[in-house]
């Protein structure tokens, strides 16, 4: 067996051994993000005073429906809020474009989990507190 063949076999073994670890780490991060996004969706829904069923009807009125063209059902919204399923991008977009909290739109980055401030006014308020 020559050196090149040994090197190729070693690389193949290392890749096979490491892939499951990398995959698990990505899946854990994805699960944490889904849970965070779900918690934020639930927070916004409760601030609006909507039940899960009414949120589904509200989304339908904004043109966001499931694959069958029907309003999202409570069980689907519950699975988003619990982090079991990923929230569709069009749902997050509809919320960020149409929901106002204290006169300010909800930031899409907040729903995606990349920003800790729900609205731009929250960010400005925190900045003012930090400066003073």
């Amino acid at each position: 067996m020559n050196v090149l063949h040994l090197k190729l076999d070693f690389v193949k073994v290392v890749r096979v051994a490491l892939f499951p670890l990398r995959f698990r780490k990505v899946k854990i991060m994805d699960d944490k993000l889904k849970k965070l996004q779900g918690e934020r969706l639930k927070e916004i829904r409760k601030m609006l005073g909507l039940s899960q069923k009414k949120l589904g009807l509200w989304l339908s009125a904004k043109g966001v429906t499931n694959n069958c063209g029907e309003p999202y059902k409570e069980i689907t919204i519950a699975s988003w809020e619990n982090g079991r399923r990923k929230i569709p991008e069009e749902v997050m977009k509809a919320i960020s474009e149409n929901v106002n909290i204290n006169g300010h739109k909800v930031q899409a980055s907040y729903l995606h989990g990349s920003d800790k401030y729900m609205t731009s006014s929250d960010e400005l308020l925190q900045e003012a507190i930090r400066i003073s």
Side-chain angles (χ1 to χ4, degrees), residues 8 30 49-50 79 82 86 92 97 102 105-106 108 113 118:
L8 290 175
D30 190 44
L50 297 175
S79 67
N82 293 326
K86 188 174 182 339
M92 289 196 266
E97 289 177 352
N102 297 328
K105 286 189 176 186
V106 172
M118 185 182 296

Side-chain angles (χ1 to χ4, degrees), residues 24-77:
R24 277 184 268 165
K25 189 174 183 180
V26 169
K27 180 156 176 39
I28 290 168
M29 293 302 289
D30 190 44
D31 289 346
K32 286 181 180 180
L33 183 59
K34 285 191 299 188
K35 188 155 181 69
L36 175 65
Q37 290 172 343
E39 289 168 357
R40 290 180 173 187
L41 174 66
K42 185 176 185 176
E43 177 186 13
I44 291 168
R45 177 181 63 78
K46 288 190 170 197
M47 287 177 87
L48 295 172
L50 297 175
S51 65
Q52 291 173 337
K53 183 174 185 171
K54 287 184 180 178
L55 177 62
L57 294 172
W58 179 85
L59 287 167
S60 179
K62 299 297 178 194
V64 180
T65 58
N66 65 17
N67 293 336
C68 299
E70 299 172 348
Y72 284 106
K73 302 206 180 316
E74 294 128 292
I75 194 158
T76 303
I77 294 171

